[in-house]
């Protein structure tokens, strides 16, 4: 009986050990499996090694999770060897965007070459894609020449540039003052199948005006009809601004007459340019008359229109007149700038017109502007100067 009990206890111990071993084995297997899943989920590139079919949107999700830009090229290389690889514009746009954020333009160049040369990488690319790439080269990287090369390489990718993309490159060249290249790009418009429009001409005129080639810029007006284009308010305003900057205000007004005769209505910017030109020549009254003419022509003045007139009055040192014009601005719904208030107050202080100073100061603070220490100092100095003058007239020493 005792032997049977001992055997039962021994058998129970072995069963208990077997249960514990089985439990530990299952737990160990589960831990290894969980670690493998965690490792796979933490590294999204591991999915590129799977033989399961990957749809294009799944590939995009993988590339979206890649934070290290240097891993993008490796990932692109790995995905390109898959049988289900289907390159598309969205994928290349995503990769180039991430590379541009890390300023890796050499890698972007390699991708563009890869798209063009590798048969498997070829896909249909739109004008929007090239507009995006050119913008990356020009605005983000400052590689203007590379932007121009990309424009002229578009036919090699079986894509032809739109006028919008062409004009973007033109504007990029003007902004960076690459005037020598502009002529070459313009000559290549026909080769690229681009039809130039009014915006194209406006960009060229802006470039010529920036370079102070006023004569050539004005002569370009005669080229508009040859291309079935019509100059607009921007065209004339750009030319007038250049003429006024060079002191040729009378020629700018002749251009205004031509503008109106051609049936193009001047806008507020056009009038502001002319008012500013008159102000720089000290022709303040003519500027005010032109402001009134705007309203008669049905063109509503903006805050810039009034501010240009005000600055011209201030520049002529007529601070009392400036104060009166400020009243007019306020009555017509426009507020003078902080600089205007500051300059007028300091000018009135020099003329010791304390009553006008008080009026303008109250108006300034009512508009939410607070004078700085320098302005307060001049106000105080003007007050003491006024008291001294009053005392000297009355024979009193202050």
């Amino acid at each position: 009986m005792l032997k049977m009990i001992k055997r039962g206890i021994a058998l129970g111990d072995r069963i208990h050990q077997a249960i514990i071993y089985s439990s530990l084995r299952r737990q160990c297997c589960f831990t290894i499996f969980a670690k493998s899943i965690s490792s796979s989920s933490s590294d999204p590139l591991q999915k590129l090694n799977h033989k399961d079919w990957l749809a294009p949107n799944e590939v995009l999700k993988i590339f979206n999770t890649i934070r290290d830009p240097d891993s993008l090229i490796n990932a692109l290389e790995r995905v390109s060897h898959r049988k289900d690889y289907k390159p598309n514009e969205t994928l290349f746009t995503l990769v180039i965007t991430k590379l541009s954020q890390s300023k890796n333009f050499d890698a972007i160049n390699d991708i563009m070459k890869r798209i063009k040369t590798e048969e498997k990488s070829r896909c249909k690319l739109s004008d929007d894609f090239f507009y995006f790439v050119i913008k990356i080269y020009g605005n983000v990287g400052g590689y203007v020449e590379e932007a121009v090369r990309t424009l002229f390489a578009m036919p090699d990718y079986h894509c032809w540039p739109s006028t919008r993309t062409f004009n973007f490159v033109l504007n990029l060249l003007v902004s960076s003052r690459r005037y020598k290249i502009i002529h070459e790009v313009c000559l290549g418009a026909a080769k690229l199948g681009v039809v130039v429009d009014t915006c194209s001409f406006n960009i060229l005129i802006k470039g010529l005006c920036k370079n102070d080639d006023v004569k050539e810029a004005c002569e370009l007006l005669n080229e508009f009809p040859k291309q079935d284009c019509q100059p607009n308010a921007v065209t004339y305003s750009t030319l007038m601004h250049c003429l006024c900057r060079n002191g040729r205000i009378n020629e700018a007004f002749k251009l205004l007459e031509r503008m109106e005769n051609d049936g193009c209505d001047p806008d507020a910017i056009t009038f502001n340019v002319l008012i500013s030109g008159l102000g720089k020549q000290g022709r303040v009254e003519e500027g005010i008359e032109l402001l009134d003419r705007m309203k008669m022509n049905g063109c509503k003045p903006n805050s810039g229109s009034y501010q240009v007139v005000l600055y011209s009055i201030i520049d002529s040192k007529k601070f009392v007149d400036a104060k009166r014009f400020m009243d007019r601005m306020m009555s017509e719904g426009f507020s003078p700038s902080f600089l205007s208030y500051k300059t007028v107050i300091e000018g009135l202080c020099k003329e010791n017109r304390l009553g006008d100073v008080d009026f303008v100061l109250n108006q300034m603070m009512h508009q939410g502007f607070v004078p700085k220490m320098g302005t307060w100092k001049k106000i105080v100095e003007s007050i003491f100067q006024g008291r001294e003058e009053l005392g000297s007239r009355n024979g009193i020493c202050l």
Side-chain angles (χ1 to χ4, degrees):
M1 185 69 177
L2 185 61
K3 288 182 179 180
M4 289 179 66
I5 292 171
K6 287 181 178 180
R7 286 176 186 173
I9 293 172
L11 180 61
D13 288 340
R14 285 197 297 271
I15 292 172
H16 179 69
Q17 289 175 2
I19 291 172
I20 292 174
Y21 175 76
S22 177
S23 175
L24 290 172
R25 187 175 180 182
R26 283 197 304 272
Q27 186 176 357
C28 182
C29 290
F30 177 77
T31 303
I32 293 171
F33 178 70
K35 284 183 178 180
S36 67
I37 291 176
S38 174
S39 174
S40 175
S41 61
S42 63
D43 184 9
L45 294 181
Q46 290 296 325
K47 292 183 179 179
L48 298 179
N49 298 330
H50 297 169
K51 293 183 180 180
D52 297 336
W53 185 272
L54 284 176
N57 62 329
E58 292 178 298
V59 174
L60 287 174
K61 287 180 182 178
I62 294 172
F63 276 82
N64 254 321
T65 59
I66 300 174
R67 296 183 178 180
D68 179 19
D70 296 331
S71 302
L72 287 167
I73 303 301
N74 177 40
L76 191 62
E77 185 67 27
R78 286 165 65 178
V79 76
S80 66
H81 287 93
R82 293 180 59 90
K83 292 182 179 180
D84 55 9
Y85 176 54
K86 289 184 179 180
N88 57 73
E89 183 177 307
T90 308
L91 175 62
F92 289 126
T93 301
L94 175 62
V95 173
I96 291 174
T97 299
K98 285 179 173 286
L99 290 173
S100 68
Q101 291 168 353
S102 63
K103 309 295 182 184
N104 193 346
F105 292 96
D106 290 335
I108 294 176
N109 292 341
D110 292 339
I111 288 176
M112 295 303 293
K113 290 175 184 175
R114 177 180 190 144
I115 295 172
K116 184 167 63 174
T117 56
E118 288 187 10
E119 193 68 33
K120 195 175 181 182
S121 295
R122 285 190 181 180
C123 64
K124 189 175 181 180
L125 299 173
S126 68
D127 172 73
D128 287 338
F129 172 79
F130 285 98
Y131 182 89
F132 157 76
V133 173
I134 289 170
K135 197 172 182 180
I136 290 291
Y137 277 131
N139 288 354
V140 180
Y143 296 106
V144 179
E145 287 81 2
E146 195 62 45
V148 174
R149 277 194 288 270
T150 304
L151 173 72
F152 282 94
M154 285 178 65
D156 297 335
Y157 296 85
H158 307 290
C159 182
W160 298 89
S162 65
T163 305
R164 181 190 69 149
T165 303
F166 181 81
N167 287 345
F168 179 83
V169 174
L170 274 186
N171 197 52
L172 188 64
L173 292 170
V174 168
S175 300
S176 58
R177 297 183 177 273
R178 311 292 176 90
Y179 299 121
K180 292 182 180 179
I181 309 176
I182 293 174
H183 183 67
E184 298 174 13
V185 173
C186 289
L187 291 176
K191 180 182 176 183
L192 291 170
V194 173
V195 179
V196 295
D197 59 4
T198 298
C199 182
S200 310
F201 279 110
N202 286 347
I203 293 169
L204 295 176
I205 288 174
K206 181 174 74 171
L208 290 169
C209 288
K210 273 190 173 184
N211 205 33
D212 279 335
D213 294 329
V214 187
K215 183 180 178 181
E216 290 185 36
C218 291
E219 288 177 353
L220 203 57
L221 270 178
N222 301 323
E223 297 297 319
F224 277 78
K226 297 176 183 178
Q227 298 292 332
D228 293 327
C229 296
Q230 289 291 329
N232 56 22
V234 174
T235 313
Y236 289 105
S237 297
T238 305
L239 289 168
M240 289 175 192
H241 182 266
C242 185
L243 289 167
C244 291
R245 191 175 68 237
N246 287 276
R248 298 160 65 174
I249 185 69
N250 293 333
E251 292 177 59
F253 272 96
K254 287 181 181 178
L255 200 58
L256 176 64
E257 291 179 15
R258 175 175 174 176
M259 178 183 184
E260 291 174 330
N261 291 334
D262 289 342
C264 182
D265 295 326
D267 58 11
I269 295 174
T270 309
F271 282 108
N272 292 356
V273 167
L274 293 171
I275 292 170
S276 177
L278 289 168
K280 288 176 182 176
Q281 291 195 350
R283 297 158 67 175
V284 180
E285 292 300 324
E286 292 178 63
I288 296 174
E289 290 174 5
L290 191 58
L291 181 67
D292 295 330
R293 179 180 164 186
M294 285 179 67
K295 297 178 181 178
M296 293 174 62
N297 284 16
C299 180
K300 188 177 181 181
N302 55 27
S303 60
S305 309
Y306 287 93
Q307 196 63 61
V308 168
V309 174
L310 180 57
Y311 281 138
S312 67
I313 299 173
I314 291 172
D315 290 340
S316 66
K317 308 296 182 183
K318 297 178 180 178
F319 299 109
V320 176
D321 290 344
K323 176 239 176 187
R324 293 195 191 103
F325 191 78
M326 282 174 145
D327 290 341
R328 175 179 169 179
M329 281 185 72
M330 296 289 293
S331 65
E332 296 184 16
F334 297 98
S335 176
S337 66
F338 174 83
L339 180 61
S340 302
Y341 280 118
K342 173 182 178 294
T343 311
V344 170
I345 288 174
E346 293 178 1
L348 291 170
C349 285
K350 286 182 180 179
E351 296 177 359
N352 200 26
R353 301 186 65 93
L354 294 177
D356 291 325
V357 169
D358 183 58
F359 181 86
V360 177
L361 181 62
N362 286 330
Q363 191 183 82
M364 178 184 186
M365 297 184 71
H366 182 72
Q367 292 299 313
F369 296 124
V370 179
K372 294 184 179 179
M373 187 59 67
T375 304
W376 284 117
K377 183 179 178 182
K378 291 187 178 181
I379 293 172
V380 173
E381 288 174 353
S382 180
I383 292 171
F384 277 103
Q385 183 183 351
R387 287 185 176 181
E388 287 176 1
E389 290 178 357
L390 181 63
S392 63
R393 284 198 299 268
N394 296 326
I396 301 171
C397 292
L398 296 176

